[in-house]
Amino acid sequence: MSNLTEGFIEPIAYVLQLDSRSVWEWIAGAAALVVTLFVARFINQEFIHGYVERTIEAKVPQLIGTITSGVVIFIGCCLILSFVFGRNISTLLAALAGSVALLGFALKDFAVALFAGIILNLEKSFQVGDVVRIGDKQGFVDQITWRNTILHTADRVITIPNVSIMKQAIQNLSTAANVTRRSVELTIDYDLSVESVERILYAGVLGATGIKQEKPPNIFARKMTQDGILYEVQYFISNKTNGLKADHAIIKNILDSMRRSDISVALPRHGVVEGLNRSKISNRSSDLLHLIQQVRLFRNFSDELCLQIMGLLLTHRYPAGAQILHLGEIRNSLFIVAEGSVKRQGMDQDNQTQDEFFVSTEFFGRQSLVACLPHSADVFAETPCLIYELHQSALQKLIRNNPGIVDALAHNLAQIRWMESSQNTPEGMANTDSLEHFISAYRGQIEANYEVVPAESP
């Protein structure tokens, strides 16, 4: 410190004809003033016009930021005068109080309007786009500022001061009908369990694209009829959503989900309806067995093999939002979605986050099961889920008892991969050579990671 004083402070003091203490005070005061200006700028730009505006989702008037910055700078200058220069600032504070009183009186109407605007923006009694009735005025909210609210009617524009809005009754005519409940009814055969139907319909509604659902759907078994059980599917959309388009999207995806599960709407029973379709449905004595039969990985497997797989599965239930798998987790298992919706968060080729959703009968983790690789993405339960896990040890036991299953697994895995590749090719269809390549690759992975005893296919 003495070297700094002798080498820097004293020469400056000599040139300015000041004592060393005064030079120290001016340097400290200048540094404190720079900090004060930085704090004032941060509060104005980052807090008021940044955090506060993002929180209330509205623009804060520039005057508020300017006044706040001025107050911060004034307080900083007072502290500098008091603590750095040792001055008595009581007279300055008294003058400030008088100035604030005069300024407040002059800006009384503005302050009241500003306070009213703050309350309206925080309470969000209405927002742009709503139809409201304020007192005896009704219209479409076009703009909300910190001083006024602008309504559009069929023939005019109405500007209402926020101060007067605070004294009047506000009726938001959009809120009451903000969410619309719509429903679809369909009849399904008695031989399919209610739990299975709930799972399939729920997956169909959740998987509908192009619409935003405001609440989770409801599935109800409404009535027992001569043709089957009448189910009602209720879903909820914004009143601003086109209801006919929403119905189309929901019905389309429900039918797709039913086709994937190999079920159809029950036909009217006039006379004989005990044909092949009835026999096909009545064979579904086990809901889990039916689920396994609909999984593409086990397609064309015999009932005996599906029953063996059913006995090897581990059952997991996850609440909505729970994390099922972590990126890089070493868990050599395949997971089959039985109920609910699952979201897989991975990265695409451009290192951008890519979400993939799985619903009933779909599965994830095939590379972890077949190639024993760590899981390549985080997986979360979008809704309450029922998940079945096929672990490496279970597959090893299945292969040991059924060596011929290796070729069947390799073929089904290759078919899935081939179809995925087909969607990404310019022609829309990959060639058959790539299918054979995928079959060989998957067969090699299974044989490399599992003890396969050579045997003839059953």
Side-chain angles (χ1 to χ4, degrees), residues 334-354:
L334 177 101
F335 297 86
I336 303 169
V337 181
E339 297 176 5
S341 176
V342 171
K343 179 173 71 174
R344 183 178 182 271
Q345 285 187 333
M347 305 293 289
D348 60 16
Q349 296 178 349
D350 299 324
N351 290 326
Q352 300 294 321
T353 302
Q354 185 178 43

Side-chain angles (χ1 to χ4, degrees), residues 117 252 263 289 328:
K252 176 178 179 293
I263 66 173
L289 176 61

Side-chain angles (χ1 to χ4, degrees), residues 192-230:
L192 194 62
S193 69
V194 174
E195 292 78 10
S196 180
V197 174
E198 285 180 322
R199 184 189 73 237
I200 294 166
L201 296 181
Y202 198 76
V205 178
L206 289 177
T209 58
I211 62 171
K212 179 182 178 183
Q213 299 184 48
E214 303 293 333
K215 296 168 59 178
N218 295 323
I219 312 294
F220 297 105
R222 286 280 308 279
K223 189 188 300 183
M224 300 173 65
T225 70
Q226 64 175 358
D227 300 322
I229 299 178
L230 176 67

Side-chain angles (χ1 to χ4, degrees), residues 83-154:
F83 291 100
V84 177
F85 292 97
R87 301 292 191 271
N88 187 349
I89 60 172
S90 57
T91 304
L92 184 62
L93 293 177
L96 173 65
S99 300
V100 169
L102 291 174
L103 184 64
F105 182 78
L107 299 177
K108 178 183 64 175
D109 293 338
F110 175 79
V112 173
L114 178 63
F115 179 75
I118 292 174
I119 296 299
L120 286 176
N121 278 281
L122 290 177
E123 287 187 345
K124 295 187 180 299
S125 302
F126 52 85
Q127 56 187 341
V128 174
D130 289 346
V131 177
V132 298
R133 180 181 291 119
I134 301 174
D136 59 348
K137 301 177 179 65
Q138 178 176 327
F140 175 85
V141 180
D142 180 67
Q143 188 177 358
I144 305 172
T145 69
W146 290 88
R147 297 192 61 188
N148 304 307
T149 295
I150 301 174
L151 302 183
H152 275 210
T153 66

Side-chain angles (χ1 to χ4, degrees), residues 382-420:
E382 278 283 283
T383 64
C385 291
L386 171 62
I387 306 290
Y388 290 105
E389 177 183 359
L390 180 64
H391 189 260
Q392 179 187 21
S393 58
L395 181 57
Q396 178 64 75
K397 182 177 180 181
L398 193 67
I399 292 174
R400 188 181 301 117
N401 295 333
N402 307 274
I405 199 177
V406 173
D407 286 335
L409 283 172
H411 187 272
N412 287 346
L413 286 165
Q415 283 279 2
I416 296 170
R417 178 70 180 278
W418 186 63
M419 292 302 297
E420 293 173 347

Side-chain angles (χ1 to χ4, degrees), residues 23-38 80 84-85:
V23 175
W24 270 113
E25 289 177 346
W26 281 104
I27 293 176
L33 181 61
V34 171
V35 173
T36 301
L37 293 174
F38 175 79
I80 291 171
V84 177
F85 292 97

